[in-house]
Amino acid sequence: MDAPRKFEKPPARPSPQSPEGCLAVAIRVPVRIVVLVLVVPVRLVWDGLVVGGRFLYRTVLRPLARAVFVWPWVALWRYVVVPLAKALGRLTNLLVLVPLIWLYRYVFTPVGHGLAWVARRIGGGLAWVYARVLTPVGHACAWVVNGVAAGVAWVAGGVAAGVAWLGRYLFVVPAGWLYAWILTPIGHAIAWCGRGLLWSVRAVGTGISVVLYWAARILLVLPAIALWRWVLTPVGRVLAVVGREVWDALGHAWRIAGHISLAVGRVLGTLFRWIFVEPVSWVYRTVLTPVGHVVRDLVLRPAAEAARAVGRVTRQVLAAARESARQARADFRRMVFGEPRQPEPVERREPMGDETRTLGRSTTVLTKD
């Protein structure tokens, strides 16, 4: 026996369906029938257009798009842009890069080295001037400026102390007395009057807002609530039920129409195969193939053998004609110019032909009789 499976989830329970009212049940069947009758022709036409569109796309549009949009750009890139870019690269290298490298190596580099040497000499002179002349002068100027600044600061401190004492007793003390004994009581009185006025305005505004609230509630809100609750909500529910049933009926009818369209397509495919494909295949297998074999064995192969034989005879005749023409040209040259001069034999130290050097015979040039 198999071991008990562990950690296995229990099967999911189907979610409980909400109870449907009598209106939904009464609307569902006639709506589905009407929608199915209307949707089936549309689905058949749609499937036919889909099949035709796929066939047209595979056989016409895709090759045409490749021939019109893809291959011209590929040919333009391969045979125009790439060679032109290579030629421009080489031309740029020869006309721009090589002269620039030569100019940098043999002009700019020596000039730069000379300028750097001059700059180093000038920098050394400027450093000497800074260290021996400008630095002492700057220290003397700084000492003088510090002394002048210290004197000015001492004088400014005395003047600022005097001005501060005068400002305190001429402005600050009278202003504090004025704020404490005159402005503060006047401000308290103004604040008390403002609080009273604000309380009065708030009370009047509260009364007016309460009156406007109840008037708007009675004249606008309560009629709108009644219209929403007793008119719009029931009508919306009925329309929601009708719309949901129509949508479900459309989906159900579309699926059923798909099955019907598939069955019709299979029937049409079977009829097409029985009426056209299988007779053509039978004719091809039982008539055209044997006839083709007979024509191949009785006509095409003998004709090919005859053509090959004629070709061989023609080649032989042409070879004999070329040889005859070559011999005729040679006889004509001998008749007009005579026999060509034969090269004179040159005596060689080594024996020619079968007269090889041996130990038993004196066949060398020095010992020959």
Side-chain angles (χ1 to χ4, degrees):
M1 295 178 64
D2 297 335
R5 297 181 180 179
K6 295 182 179 180
F7 305 104
E8 185 176 0
K9 294 181 179 180
R13 295 180 180 179
S15 59
Q17 297 181 356
S18 59
E20 298 178 349
C22 59
L23 180 62
V25 177
I27 292 174
R28 181 173 301 162
V29 175
V31 167
R32 289 193 176 184
I33 293 173
V34 173
V35 169
L36 180 62
V37 172
L38 296 176
V39 167
V40 168
V42 177
R43 183 59 186 265
L44 292 175
V45 174
W46 174 259
D47 290 339
L49 291 176
V50 169
V51 174
R54 289 178 180 175
F55 177 76
L56 184 63
Y57 172 74
R58 292 175 181 175
T59 57
V60 178
L61 295 180
R62 185 166 61 183
L64 182 62
R66 288 184 178 179
V68 173
F69 296 104
V70 177
W71 293 115
W73 292 105
V74 172
L76 180 64
W77 174 263
R78 184 175 300 172
Y79 299 108
V80 177
V81 176
V82 173
L84 185 61
K86 290 182 179 179
L88 289 177
R90 294 177 182 176
L91 188 62
T92 303
N93 186 21
L94 293 176
L95 297 179
V96 178
L97 295 180
V98 173
L100 287 178
I101 292 171
W102 182 88
L103 186 64
Y104 172 78
R105 184 176 297 172
Y106 297 105
V107 178
F108 291 159
T109 301
V111 172
H113 290 171
L115 292 177
W117 182 83
V118 173
R120 285 196 299 270
R121 297 303 179 185
I122 295 173
L126 292 177
W128 183 86
V129 170
Y130 175 78
R132 302 299 181 182
V133 179
L134 297 179
T135 301
V137 173
H139 289 171
C141 293
W143 184 80
V144 173
V145 169
N146 289 332
V148 173
V152 172
W154 183 79
V155 173
V159 173
V163 171
W165 185 83
L166 291 175
R168 175 179 177 82
Y169 287 99
L170 292 178
F171 295 102
V172 176
V173 173
W177 182 85
L178 180 64
Y179 176 78
W181 299 101
I182 296 175
L183 296 179
T184 300
I186 294 173
H188 288 316
I190 292 173
W192 184 81
C193 294
R195 283 194 297 271
L197 182 61
L198 180 63
W199 181 83
S200 301
V201 171
R202 186 180 297 173
V204 173
T206 302
I208 294 173
S209 62
V210 169
V211 172
L212 292 176
Y213 169 76
W214 282 105
R217 181 178 178 84
I218 294 171
L219 295 177
L220 299 176
V221 177
L222 294 178
I225 293 174
L227 179 65
W228 174 265
R229 182 176 297 173
W230 303 106
V231 178
L232 296 179
T233 301
V235 172
R237 289 177 180 175
V238 172
L239 292 178
V241 171
V242 173
R244 184 175 65 250
E245 292 299 329
V246 170
W247 181 259
D248 294 339
L250 283 174
H252 186 69
W254 187 260
R255 289 190 295 271
I256 294 176
H259 293 293
I260 295 173
S261 175
L262 180 62
V264 170
R266 289 178 178 176
V267 169
L268 293 177
T270 303
L271 292 176
F272 179 76
R273 187 174 65 252
W274 289 350
I275 294 172
F276 183 76
V277 176
E278 291 186 357
V280 171
S281 176
W282 179 82
V283 169
Y284 177 78
R285 287 195 307 269
T286 59
V287 178
L288 297 180
T289 300
V291 170
H293 291 171
V294 171
V295 171
R296 181 191 61 188
D297 296 335
L298 298 181
V299 178
L300 297 180
R301 285 183 179 175
E305 292 293 337
R308 284 194 290 270
V310 169
R312 285 194 297 269
V313 171
T314 304
R315 287 193 295 272
Q316 292 175 1
V317 169
L318 292 176
R322 284 194 297 270
E323 186 64 27
S324 299
R326 189 181 298 109
Q327 293 295 332
R329 287 194 301 271
D331 294 340
F332 180 75
R333 282 195 299 269
R334 282 194 300 270
M335 181 179 66
V336 174
F337 301 104
E339 292 289 339
R341 295 181 60 185
Q342 298 293 331
E344 296 180 358
V346 180
E347 294 184 358
R348 302 176 62 90
R349 294 180 60 87
E350 295 295 331
M352 302 293 293
D354 294 336
E355 298 179 358
T356 58
R357 181 182 298 174
T358 61
L359 296 177
R361 294 183 299 169
S362 60
T363 57
T364 62
V365 176
L366 300 176
T367 58
K368 183 184 294 183
D369 294 337

